[in-house]
Amino acid sequence: MIRIFLAIEGALNRVIGHAAAACLVVAAVSAFYQVVTRFVFEQPSTWSEALTRTCLIWMVFLGITIAFRHGALVAVDLAYRAASGPWRTALRGFITLNSIALLGVILWFGVQMAWRVRFQTLAGLEISIAWAYAALPVGAFFSLLAVIAHYLDRRDVDLEGAAG
């Protein structure tokens, strides 16, 4: 059962990673378009800034799933490396439970916020602003799966080389 869950979560993570990357590409292209139209043609676009902002929000909330899966988000490396035996197990459980609690709050309030603003329109794009707010519960849901998968199948990213 755990292997099936991990296989499904792994496939979802690959799709989510590609979606987050696509959001970054769309945000970069629309931001470049905004700069060109504003400063070269002196006719700023009405939609590109809103699209850039929305894509960046989606990119973050989808991309955070990958960070949770690899244990690269919560920087408690020093404490985790210093702990051993039952203390390390307790710390791991504490981190997992707190991550689940935080993501549960984001999921709950994200659904409520998306529902409340469903009739408001995103300026420039003329779509419901709920599409932007939907990134919160969607990202939180997939991040919950990633946190559970990380707990069941620990894959830590070595953060030592990340800064340099």
Side-chain angles (χ1 to χ4, degrees):
M1 188 68 164
I2 291 175
R3 278 194 293 180
I4 294 170
F5 170 76
L6 292 174
I8 291 170
E9 189 273 337
L12 282 172
N13 256 4
R14 283 188 290 282
V15 171
I16 289 167
H18 291 301
C23 287
L24 178 60
V25 169
V26 171
V29 169
S30 65
F32 180 74
Y33 178 80
Q34 173 69 10
V35 168
V36 169
T37 59
R38 179 179 301 257
F39 296 110
V40 175
F41 300 118
E42 296 178 359
Q43 295 291 323
S45 160
T46 58
W47 56 268
S48 58
E49 186 178 343
L51 179 62
T52 300
R53 188 173 46 247
T54 303
C55 285
L56 287 175
I57 291 167
W58 273 94
M59 180 203 62
V60 167
F61 278 94
L62 291 176
I64 203 169
T65 301
I66 309 302
F68 269 118
R69 178 60 179 105
H70 293 287
L73 186 66
V74 181
V76 291
D77 269 355
L78 182 63
Y80 191 76
R81 288 179 185 177
S84 63
W87 289 107
R88 181 176 275 195
T89 304
L91 180 61
R92 186 170 173 227
F94 180 76
I95 292 168
T96 301
L97 289 176
N98 280 293
S99 296
I100 288 172
L102 173 65
L103 291 167
V105 168
I106 293 171
L107 177 65
W108 176 259
F109 285 106
V111 167
Q112 289 183 351
M113 286 304 300
W115 182 255
R116 286 181 187 152
V117 299
R118 69 189 182 279
F119 298 119
Q120 295 179 17
T121 303
L122 192 58
L125 291 180
E126 302 305 323
I127 61 170
S128 172
I129 200 167
W131 286 106
Y133 277 100
L136 279 78
V138 170
F141 173 76
F142 288 121
S143 292
L144 278 168
L145 297 179
V147 166
I148 294 167
H150 179 70
Y151 184 79
L152 296 173
D153 178 34
R154 189 167 182 84
R155 288 188 210 159
D156 287 329
V157 173
D158 184 17
L159 299 176
E160 300 247 344

